[in-house]
Amino acid sequence: MWSDVIYESGPLVIGATAAALIAAYLWSRSRVASLFMVVWFGLAAAIGQVSFFEGPLTWAESHALGFAAFGTLSFAPAVVLLIAVFRSERTRRFIAAIPTWALLLTQAYRVGGAFLIIAHLRGDLPGEIGLVSGPLDLLVATSSVVLAVRARSHKTSSVRSSAIWSIVSLADFAWAIAVLQFSYLGVIELSPDPIMMGNPPLLVISLFALPLAIVMSVIVLVRAIRPSLLNPSRQPAAR
């Protein structure tokens, strides 16, 4: 059925479109950054075809290794990129040349949150993720476009709005991560367990969309409340 085709290919198509547009934008600014985006998505798409959690949608002891690998691959890119942003003057100089509206606009791809809602309706995800993170993703996606337009118009209020947007964006991730973690540890009981976040077709969201969004949200937030931390001439913090 067409609904199955859309569900199974949608996250990959949205991710590929976002990666291509971002890479195209970066091409004139940094060939390395542009190619990095393409390679990153390519790896995420390839790994995203692998199921980290086999079997029924219930956590099992055999999922321990898969959970560790899933968590590492989902968050390591964000950690590495944020370290580069705050520790490398060259990276800060590169980020400083990118306007806030462009950073915000990258998050339009979070319309992919619709697939979390669809996954819940199909019985693949619990409502705690499908009906919470899904709508929040859609909110973040639509508001990112509105704020990007305001930021490009140099409206003063866009700075405060961008800070609020970043907090909501990061809170969305914090909720999903907490639900996933507590579910795996048995602190909360869900039906089904959010195992599909680590399996295709949703896995590419965790491997590419999630870490990229965390990085963009942190940069926008810091630029709004503590821009000096992203000053290219800032000396690295003493060890």
Side-chain angles (χ1 to χ4, degrees):
M1 294 177 60
W2 279 107
S3 59
D4 292 331
V5 173
I6 293 173
Y7 174 64
E8 292 170 2
S9 62
L12 193 63
V13 170
I14 290 178
T17 302
L21 291 174
I22 295 172
Y25 175 81
L26 293 175
W27 184 254
S28 61
R29 297 171 179 271
S30 170
R31 301 287 198 274
V32 173
S34 180
L35 292 174
F36 171 80
M37 187 62 58
V38 173
V39 172
W40 181 13
F41 175 75
L43 290 173
I47 298 173
Q49 305 311 305
V50 177
S51 293
F52 281 90
F53 310 113
E54 299 288 351
L57 300 182
T58 303
W59 294 120
E61 291 184 6
S62 59
H63 291 154
L65 183 59
F67 192 83
F70 167 68
T72 300
L73 292 174
S74 296
F75 296 104
V79 172
V80 171
L81 288 173
L82 287 175
I83 289 176
V85 167
F86 291 104
R87 298 290 298 180
S88 168
E89 181 177 348
R90 182 177 180 181
T91 304
R92 290 197 300 274
R93 188 181 301 113
F94 170 71
I95 294 297
I98 299 177
T100 299
W101 67 261
L103 297 175
L104 288 165
L105 204 54
T106 64
Q107 295 308 290
Y109 69 68
R110 285 171 70 176
V111 293
F115 291 100
L116 300 182
I117 299 175
I118 294 173
H120 168 68
L121 296 177
R122 291 169 58 97
D124 289 344
L125 283 180
E128 287 79 358
I129 288 184
L131 297 183
V132 178
S133 291
L136 278 176
D137 276 341
L138 293 176
L139 173 63
V140 169
T142 53
S143 58
S144 71
V145 176
V146 174
L147 288 175
V149 172
R150 291 173 62 85
R152 195 168 189 182
S153 300
H154 304 292
K155 292 188 177 181
T156 305
S157 60
S158 67
V159 176
R160 182 174 60 182
S161 298
S162 295
I164 295 174
W165 174 88
S166 300
I167 292 172
V168 172
S169 174
L170 292 171
D172 177 13
F173 297 135
W175 169 264
I177 293 166
V179 169
L180 191 67
Q181 184 71 39
F182 291 153
S183 168
Y184 177 74
L185 294 175
V187 177
I188 58 176
E189 293 185 5
L190 303 177
S191 180
D193 286 329
I195 285 175
M196 284 302 294
M197 292 304 297
N199 292 343
L202 302 179
L203 180 55
V204 69
I205 295 176
S206 302
L207 299 182
F208 178 73
L210 169 66
L212 178 59
I214 289 176
V215 172
M216 294 297 103
S217 299
V218 169
I219 291 175
V220 171
L221 179 60
V222 172
R223 182 176 284 186
I225 64 175
R226 289 287 300 276
S228 61
L229 292 178
L230 293 174
N231 188 333
S233 61
R234 179 177 64 84
Q235 294 297 318
R239 294 184 178 181

